[in-house]
């Protein structure tokens, strides 16, 4: 996940710390009747094409939303009602795919507006705007911020202008327990429009207050004590029994809620939170380190429960943060006998690649619905966990789909997009037509219900998830889980924040939640109980569900200490589990001094964690932020050095190849084929496929950890109804996102699939491509100097690599549109990868020089020449079946394959767009 593109339509909101949860219950007093300013944004385009466009607007530091244009008096106008006190409103005119009219965020200054209407006129393609006040506009001084200083017993006010004596006289401070006496209001020397309100008594930092100014109330930002040494010393609980501890005769409950005045355990008949089926309320007892406990006799297996905390006089109900499973949509936790959900043989289940290094992995990223929901998949459980248990599935023409396809491809690790309980799909409805990638966490330790056959029964999702993992393991596939600990779906609804208001999230100076994630709330991983929660969660998935790896979304928003604690704790019992994530650098408001974030640049501080390499991703095909830009394989020039460094996993930020994830596409942005097609509209279909295969050849033979998006090997595309490519399909539905397995019935697609299959098989065969340390790479891999412009090449000394059977491997990459002749070192060189074939059996033999075809790769091994090729009929049959390992040697095989490729490539573009 990058930033705004994936997450902007999520319902996560930026709220004032604690206040959005509790302040609505404060005593009503003088609420402004007319509300805040109303912004009417007028948008004009010379082409008159307004259908795909709307405007995304947000109060500075606050939640954003899309606003549609409506025709008003011949103009296209979008209307936003701002809250009182808002001084700036950001806006982006964009399409639903986030094509922007102007690339930069723009801001409307309404600091002088008290209420009424302001008209903003925007011209397409022209930065800036024109502002006009409506007849009802009221301008003047208004309150921007109110911040409490406990040491001085002072609330500091920042306004938009000078405050009159009458306005000073209107000020009052109130809380749930009534008004607070004001001793004095004075100007703050040296600060413009800033005043201090001296109070007669100290405010309680764990309560909430509002300040009245004229005829409106504003929240007072209280000091944040959660990250102080004193708070953590008093309330850091290190036990392993948070949540519930079940036995058939008794269940104990423990919840962390240090600021609560009381906590109650609620037992329910069902997991449906809309039913009034409360069975029992059990008062909990305050225990050590901010925890509350209760015990219940009897067998509670299958019983649903929640906690209700009394916070600053308000009763707040929440799901258990340590819930193991839940009812529909994760509102109520469920007590569960986890052992009873284990499938037969679960005690013997384990990672089929235990003992392998991370560089031995080939990772395949797939979404649960995408994998199986298309009719051509031939699945009995489309869109469900159980689809991963199905083998023997085929297309109409008998070509393997699903698990069989992945296994035959040579994949070692299946990376599942989020499968914890997420909030963007309503589990109360059939999942048909409901789609999301799932980067919207609700309950971190609970499997997503929409992928189960019965989301209303909390035990079903647990059992079916385990069946999926077991089936993958039985098919020699390790399981990686995509986890999103950097933000939550809705900050005010997240269970930890409901029980300990605002604790889980970072806060800006103005009291709003930090938004480095682009999702409205950044996780405060540097706080002790947040760190414990994340570490406990990852360990739980490894322990209970036998997960073999974790991919961390936007891990650059977590701190290095948390990441290292995760790796250390998981590796105590599961030393083979692998870890990687998005180490992008983003601004976030950390709550402590000296916190270092887990970004690429901090890779030396997290030796057990790998990071996605955006340099090779953008270097191969062009920047994901500029779809018109070409990359190394699609026509860019002067990329040799950058591509060489990426190929060697020698980035400025990398410590070793074990920390470098090499890839050309993932769920974010366009598929590889689509991205190439968009930037090279002039290219033939044959050349686009050559570009695709060259990109694959580079990252699948590069040092590091190869990673691919599911379907890349069959030219996956995401075409919208208007014929354009979907670059942000997080909620675009099955029609666009599903893997179209039927394309394998076309020989052209099978050839591409066979090429990938051969590349992966070649990688598995040669440990020289899977070196674990930078020292090894420097010792055995050498860049070839003196090559023609834009050509890159490498020699690998296999004699110095344990287990390597090849004496020397030569890798040549030619992105140009003409053949290129490269002189070879002395000896016989057998070709294993050419422009149309790849595998573990030699295609042809060369001496003296190699002619590398246009837009292609060639990989050769210095060894004795192979025997003569078998008959051409056998070769043609092998190519037809898409089995590169069966392709026999000889130049004739290459010629036949090229001929076959040319024949099937013709006309494929029109077929893809039907």
């Amino acid at each position: 996940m990058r930033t705004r593109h994936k997450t902007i339509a999520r319902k996560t909101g930026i709220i004032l710390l604690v206040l959005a949860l509790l302040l609505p219950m404060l005593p009503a007093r003088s609420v402004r009747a007319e509300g805040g300013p109303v912004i009417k944004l007028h948008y004009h385009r010379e082409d008159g094409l307004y259908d795909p466009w709307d405007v995304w607007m947000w109060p500075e530091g606050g939640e954003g939303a899309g606003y549609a244009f409506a025709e008003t008096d011949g103009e296209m106008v979008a209307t936003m009602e701002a809250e009182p006190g808002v001084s700036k409103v950001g806006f982006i005119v964009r399409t639903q795919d986030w094509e922007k009219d102007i690339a930069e965020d723009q801001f409307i200054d309404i600091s002088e507006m008290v209420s009424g209407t302001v008209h903003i006129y925007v011209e397409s393609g022209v930065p800036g705007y024109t502002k006009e006040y409506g007849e009802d506009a009221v301008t003047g001084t208004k309150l921007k911020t109110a911040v409490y200083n406990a040491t001085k017993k002072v609330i500091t006010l920042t306004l938009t202008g000078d405050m009159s004596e009458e306005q000073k006289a209107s000020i009052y401070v109130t809380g749930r327990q009534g008004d607070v006496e004001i001793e004095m209001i004075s100007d703050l020397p040296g600060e413009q429009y800033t005043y201090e309100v001296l109070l007669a008594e100290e405010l309680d930092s764990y309560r909430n207050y509002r300040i009245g100014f004229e005829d409106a109330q504003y929240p007072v930002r209280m000091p944040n004590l959660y990250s102080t040494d004193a708070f953590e010393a008093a309330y850091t609980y290190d036990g392993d029994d948070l949540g519930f501890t079940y036995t058939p005769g008794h269940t104990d409950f423990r919840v962390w809620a240090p600021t609560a005045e009381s906590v109650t355990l609620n037992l329910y008949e069902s997991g449906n939170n809309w039913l009034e089926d409360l069975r029992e309320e059990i008062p909990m007892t305050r225990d050590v380190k901010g925890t509350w406990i209760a015990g219940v006799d009897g067998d509670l297996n299958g019983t649903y429960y929640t906690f209700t905390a009394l916070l600053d006089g308000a009763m707040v109900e929440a799901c258990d943060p340590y819930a193991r499973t839940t009812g529909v949509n994760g509102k109520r936790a469920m007590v569960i006998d986890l052992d009873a959900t284990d499938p037969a043989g679960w005690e013997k289940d384990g990672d089929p690649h235990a003992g392998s290094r991370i560089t031995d992995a080939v990772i395949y990223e797939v979404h649960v619905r995408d994998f199986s929901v298309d009719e051509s998949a031939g699945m009995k459980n489309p869109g469900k966990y159980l689809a991963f248990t199905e083998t023997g599935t085929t297309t109409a023409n008998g070509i393997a789909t699903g698990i069989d396809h992945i296994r035959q491809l040579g994949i070692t690790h299946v990376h599942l997009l989020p499968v914890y309980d997420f909030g963007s799909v309503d589990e109360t409805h059939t999942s048909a037509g409901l789609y999301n990638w799932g980067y919207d966490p609700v309950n971190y330790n609970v499997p997503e219900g929409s992928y189960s056959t019965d989301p209303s029964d909390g035990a079903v999702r647990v059992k079916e998830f385990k069946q999926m993992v077991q089936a993958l393991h039985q098919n020699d596939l390790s399981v990686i889980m995509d986890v999103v600990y950097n933000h939550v779906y809705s900050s005010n609804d997240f269970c930890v924040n409901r029980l300990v208001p605002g604790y889980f999230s970072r806060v800006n100076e103005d009291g709003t939640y930090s938004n480095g994630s682009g999702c409205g709330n950044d996780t405060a991983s540097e706080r002790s109980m947040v760190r414990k929660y994340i570490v406990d969660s990852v360990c739980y998935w490894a322990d209970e569900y036998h997960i073999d790896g974790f991919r961390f979304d936007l891990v650059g928003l977590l701190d290095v200490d948390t990441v290292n604690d995760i790796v250390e704790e998981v590796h105590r019992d599961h030393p083979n589990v692998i870890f990687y994530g998005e180490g992008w650098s983003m601004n976030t408001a950390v709550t402590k001094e000296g916190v270092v974030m887990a970004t690429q640049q901090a890779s030396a501080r997290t030796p057990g964690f790998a990071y996605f390499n955006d340099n090779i991703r953008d270097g191969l095909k062009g920047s994901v932020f500029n779809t018109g830009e070409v990359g190394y394989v699609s026509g860019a020039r002067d990329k040799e050095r950058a591509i060489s460094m990426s190929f060697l996993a020698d980035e400025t930020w990398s410590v070793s190849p074990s920390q470098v994830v090499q890839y050309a596409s993932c769920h974010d942005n366009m598929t590889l084929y689509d991205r190439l097609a968009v930037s090279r509209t002039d290219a033939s279909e044959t050349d686009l496929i050559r570009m695709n295969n060259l990109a694959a050849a580079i990252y699948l033979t590069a040092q590091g950890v190869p990673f691919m998006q599911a379907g890349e090997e069959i030219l996956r595309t995401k075409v919208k109804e208007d014929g354009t490519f979907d670059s942000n399909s997080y909620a675009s539905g099955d029609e666009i996102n599903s893997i179209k397995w039927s394309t394998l019935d076309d020989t052209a697609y099978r050839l591409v699939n066979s090429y990938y299959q051969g590349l992966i098989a070649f990688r598995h065969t040669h440990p020289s491509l899977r070196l674990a340390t930078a020292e090894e790479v420097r010792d055995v891999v050498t860049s070839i100097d003196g090559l023609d412009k834009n050509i890159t090449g490498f020699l690998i000394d296999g004699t110095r690599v344990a287990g390597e059977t090849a004496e020397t491997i030569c890798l040549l990459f030619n992105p140009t549109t003409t053949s290129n002749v490269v002189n070879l070192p002395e000896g016989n060189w057998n070709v294993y990868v050419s422009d149309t074939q790849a595998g573990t059996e030699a295609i042809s033999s060369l001496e003296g020089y190699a002619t590398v075809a246009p837009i292609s790769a060639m990989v050769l091994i210095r060894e004795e020449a192979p025997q003569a090729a078998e008959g051409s009929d056998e070769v043609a049959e092998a190519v037809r079946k898409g089995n590169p390992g069966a392709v026999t040697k000889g130049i004739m095989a290459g010629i036949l394959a090229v001929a076959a490729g040319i024949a099937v490539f013709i006309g494929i573009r029109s077929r893809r767009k039907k």
Side-chain angles (χ1 to χ4, degrees):
M1 190 189 78
R2 291 188 291 106
T3 50
R4 185 183 302 272
H5 276 67
K6 178 190 306 178
T7 60
I8 206 75
R10 302 176 187 175
K11 298 178 181 178
T12 50
I14 302 177
I15 60 168
L16 294 173
L17 177 61
V18 181
L19 299 172
L21 179 62
L22 301 177
L23 287 177
M25 290 174 271
L26 283 172
R29 179 171 177 177
S30 300
V31 177
R32 182 184 298 279
E34 67 272 24
V38 175
I39 298 172
K40 290 188 173 292
L41 191 146
H42 303 245
Y43 179 53
H44 178 258
R45 296 182 60 87
E46 285 293 338
D47 59 15
L49 302 176
Y50 295 98
D51 285 345
W53 298 92
D54 67 6
V55 59
W56 185 267
M57 289 193 279
W58 68 96
E60 186 178 34
E63 178 183 2
Y67 295 85
F69 291 111
E71 186 171 355
T72 304
D73 298 328
E75 296 184 345
M76 303 305 291
V77 181
T79 302
M80 173 188 177
E81 297 182 8
E83 293 295 323
V86 171
S87 298
K88 282 186 179 180
V89 172
F91 74 95
I92 301 171
V93 179
R94 51 107 209 209
T95 67
Q96 291 298 310
D97 291 332
W98 279 93
E99 176 187 348
K100 299 180 182 181
D101 188 297
I102 298 294
E104 297 78 17
D105 295 355
Q106 301 187 82
F107 288 88
I108 302 166
D109 184 355
I110 55 169
S111 59
E112 77 291 348
M113 290 285 296
V114 175
S115 63
T117 305
V118 59
H119 296 273
I120 305 299
Y121 295 89
V122 175
E123 183 70 25
S124 175
V126 179
Y129 58 88
T130 302
K131 179 167 60 176
E132 293 182 4
Y133 296 122
E135 294 182 357
D136 61 342
V138 177
T139 60
T141 299
K142 64 181 181 181
L143 184 62
K144 294 173 65 176
T145 62
V147 180
Y148 176 62
N149 184 314
T151 304
K152 297 169 62 177
K153 293 192 300 184
V154 162
I155 300 175
T156 301
L157 308 181
T158 304
L159 294 96
T160 61
D162 289 322
M163 187 163 48
S164 67
E165 292 302 318
E166 291 79 7
Q167 288 172 326
K168 290 180 181 179
S170 73
I171 290 178
Y172 60 91
V173 176
T174 188
R176 192 174 302 281
Q177 296 178 325
D179 288 352
V180 179
E181 182 181 350
I182 296 174
E183 287 194 351
M184 181 174 61
I185 301 175
S186 58
D187 297 0
L188 186 63
E191 299 290 339
Q192 188 179 36
Y193 310 144
T194 305
Y195 301 84
E196 289 188 337
V197 179
L198 179 62
L199 304 176
E201 60 185 86
E202 185 175 342
L203 301 182
D204 184 340
S205 294
Y206 294 114
R207 293 186 180 274
N208 303 280
Y209 301 88
R210 303 192 81 165
I211 189 162
F213 176 70
E214 292 190 314
D215 56 351
Q217 287 185 350
Y218 300 83
V220 176
R221 184 190 169 196
M222 302 300 293
N224 195 326
L225 304 181
Y226 292 147
S227 295
T228 62
D229 292 341
F231 184 90
E232 295 205 331
Y235 299 122
T236 298
Y237 180 73
D238 60 4
D240 60 1
D241 60 345
L242 287 168
F244 67 86
T245 303
Y246 166 82
T247 66
H250 182 86
T251 300
D252 288 317
F253 296 86
R254 185 183 294 269
V255 63
W256 187 71
T259 61
E261 299 166 48
S262 66
V263 179
T264 301
L265 168 66
N266 311 300
L267 301 182
Y268 290 96
E269 294 292 340
S270 76
N272 303 326
N273 70 307
W274 60 88
L275 298 179
E276 296 182 2
D277 55 358
L278 179 65
R279 180 196 303 175
E280 187 177 2
E281 293 178 298
I282 302 169
M284 302 186 76
T285 302
R286 187 186 294 274
D287 201 61
V288 298
K289 299 293 186 178
T291 64
W292 299 76
I293 59 174
V296 181
D297 291 332
D299 191 347
L300 295 189
N301 182 35
T303 299
Y304 293 88
Y305 70 98
T306 62
F307 300 115
T308 297
L310 178 62
L311 298 162
D312 193 19
M315 304 297 289
V316 179
E317 188 174 14
C319 187
D320 181 2
Y322 277 77
R324 301 316 190 193
T325 191
T326 64
V328 170
N329 288 330
K331 300 298 184 181
R332 294 175 180 174
M334 190 186 92
V335 178
I336 186 171
D337 179 358
L338 288 168
D339 291 342
T341 65
D342 294 347
W346 185 244
E347 70 282 356
K348 298 179 181 178
D349 178 75
D351 185 354
H353 297 101
S356 299
R357 302 179 302 186
I358 188 173
T359 52
D360 294 326
V362 178
I363 301 171
Y364 191 82
E365 179 203 54
V366 67
H367 182 274
V368 170
R369 285 187 65 82
D370 295 356
F371 173 75
S372 58
V373 78
D374 191 79
E375 184 177 356
S376 65
M379 302 285 188
K380 297 177 182 177
N381 296 281
K384 304 299 181 183
Y385 296 128
L386 292 181
F388 289 88
T389 69
E390 299 183 38
T391 57
T393 59
T394 67
T395 66
N397 288 348
I399 306 300
T401 65
I403 289 299
D404 291 346
H405 167 86
I406 296 174
R407 188 181 66 250
Q408 292 173 14
L409 187 60
I411 296 301
T412 63
H413 289 67
V414 173
H415 164 154
L416 299 171
L417 265 66
V419 284
Y420 53 72
D421 179 40
F422 55 82
S424 45
V425 169
D426 185 354
E427 297 174 3
T428 63
H429 295 79
T430 172
S431 57
L434 299 177
Y435 184 97
N436 204 281
W437 284 342
Y439 291 87
D440 307 306
V442 172
N443 292 292
Y444 281 108
N445 302 312
V446 177
E448 165 62 18
S450 67
Y451 298 150
S452 73
T453 59
D454 185 2
S456 66
D457 184 341
V460 172
R461 63 181 74 192
V462 174
K463 183 174 183 178
E464 292 179 350
F465 193 106
K466 290 180 178 180
Q467 290 175 297
M468 170 184 67
V469 172
Q470 184 183 54
L472 287 165
H473 284 169
Q474 290 171 344
N475 281 277
D476 201 34
L477 295 165
S478 300
V479 182
I480 295 172
M481 182 176 173
D482 203 325
V483 290
V484 187
Y485 292 106
N486 68 83
H487 75 279
V488 298
Y489 176 56
S490 175
S491 49
N492 55 325
D493 293 324
F494 182 57
C495 47
V496 173
N497 280 345
R498 287 185 67 79
L499 293 168
V500 192
Y503 180 81
F504 200 79
S505 308
R506 295 185 182 125
V507 184
N508 296 311
E509 291 185 0
D510 63 358
T512 59
Y513 282 141
S514 177
N515 191 27
S517 64
C519 306
N521 54 88
D522 299 340
T523 296
S525 62
E526 64 275 14
R527 290 176 177 156
S528 63
M529 290 301 287
V530 176
R531 178 176 297 159
K532 173 180 171 55
Y533 181 80
I534 296 173
V535 172
D536 287 350
S537 178
V538 179
C539 287
Y540 173 70
W541 285 103
D543 291 340
E544 186 63 33
Y545 290 97
H546 302 179
I547 298 299
D548 310 305
F550 295 88
R551 178 269 191 189
F552 282 71
D553 184 71
L554 295 183
V555 73
L557 291 171
L558 304 183
D559 65 283
V560 296
D561 291 336
T562 297
V563 168
N564 287 332
D565 282 358
I566 291 168
V567 174
E568 179 181 357
E569 290 302 316
V570 171
H571 279 174
R572 288 185 193 277
D573 296 321
H574 312 283
N576 300 294
V577 169
I578 64 175
F579 298 92
Y580 60 97
E582 294 176 303
W584 321 138
S585 297
M586 291 164 289
N587 293 324
T588 186
V590 294
T591 65
K592 296 182 179 181
E593 297 292 330
V595 175
V596 178
M597 312 312 293
T599 63
Q600 289 175 334
Q601 289 69 29
S603 62
R605 294 173 178 256
T606 56
F609 197 95
Y611 297 91
F612 282 101
N613 185 7
D614 52 332
N615 288 338
I616 197 170
R617 177 197 69 192
D618 293 351
L620 289 173
K621 62 183 181 180
S623 171
V624 296
F625 300 106
N626 179 6
T627 56
E629 179 181 294
V630 294
Y632 179 73
V633 304
S634 49
R637 297 294 179 259
D638 302 319
K639 291 280 188 180
E640 300 97 313
R641 176 171 172 76
I643 288 297
S644 293
M645 293 299 97
S646 291
F647 181 86
L648 296 170
D650 186 18
E651 305 293 359
T652 57
W653 53 266
S654 63
V655 176
S656 75
S658 296
Q659 288 188 283
V660 181
V661 177
Q662 308 280 35
Y663 71 121
S665 69
C666 67
H667 67 277
D668 273 329
N669 315 116
M670 293 183 181
T671 68
L672 175 57
Y673 175 87
D674 291 351
R675 178 62 180 79
L676 294 169
V678 164
S679 62
R680 286 298 308 275
T681 56
D682 61 321
S684 67
E685 191 72 20
T686 299
D687 281 352
L688 288 175
I689 294 174
R690 283 180 169 271
M691 295 172 195
N692 185 99
N693 288 353
L694 176 57
I698 293 173
Y699 81 77
L700 283 170
T701 60
Q703 301 298 329
V705 186
F707 171 105
M708 62 186 295
Q709 181 186 16
E712 183 190 301
E713 75 282 7
I714 54 174
L715 303 176
R716 186 177 183 181
T717 187
K718 297 183 179 182
V719 183
K720 298 188 291 185
E721 287 187 4
D722 62 2
T724 61
F725 300 115
D726 199 330
S727 63
N728 186 30
S729 63
Y730 70 95
S732 297
D734 297 330
E735 180 62 29
I736 287 176
N737 283 292
S738 63
I739 297 175
K740 311 303 190 293
W741 296 105
S742 58
T743 59
L744 280 166
D745 289 335
D746 190 311
T747 306
Y749 291 87
R750 289 204 305 279
L751 285 172
V752 175
N753 181 65
S754 292
Y755 194 77
Y756 273 74
Q757 182 180 338
L759 289 170
I760 294 170
F762 187 83
R763 182 181 183 87
H764 287 324
T765 302
H766 296 285
S768 293
L769 305 179
R770 313 193 304 274
L771 304 176
T773 69
E775 290 76 17
E776 289 179 291
V777 176
R778 285 193 294 268
D779 286 345
V780 304
V781 187
T782 305
S783 295
I784 301 175
D785 297 327
L787 298 178
D788 289 350
K789 192 72 173 174
N790 301 310
I791 311 299
T792 54
F794 306 88
L795 290 173
I796 301 178
D797 182 358
T799 64
R800 306 178 67 182
V801 179
E804 179 58 73
T805 58
E807 173 195 339
T808 308
I809 301 176
C810 177
L811 304 103
L812 301 170
F813 304 116
N814 174 20
T816 72
T817 55
T818 59
S819 297
N820 191 268
V821 177
V822 177
N823 292 324
L824 297 172
E826 184 179 352
N828 182 82
W829 291 87
N830 292 328
V831 178
Y832 286 83
V833 176
S834 68
D835 56 336
T836 58
Q837 299 178 62
T840 58
E841 296 187 20
I843 301 167
S844 62
S845 295
L846 303 173
E847 289 188 27
Y849 66 91
T851 302
V852 187
I855 318 177
S856 75
M858 179 176 282
V859 180
L860 313 92
I861 294 178
R862 181 156 56 186
E863 60 190 0
E864 292 183 4
Q867 296 179 353
E870 302 294 336
S872 59
D873 290 343
E874 181 180 343
V875 174
E877 179 67 10
V879 173
R880 186 187 69 77
K881 291 182 177 179
N883 183 0
V887 178
T888 52
K889 298 87 172 173
I891 296 175
M892 181 59 70
I895 295 173
L896 288 172
V898 172
I902 292 172
V904 295
F905 288 154
I906 296 174
I908 189 173
R909 183 188 298 272
S910 62
R911 291 199 297 275
R912 288 174 63 82
K913 292 188 176 181
K914 286 183 179 178

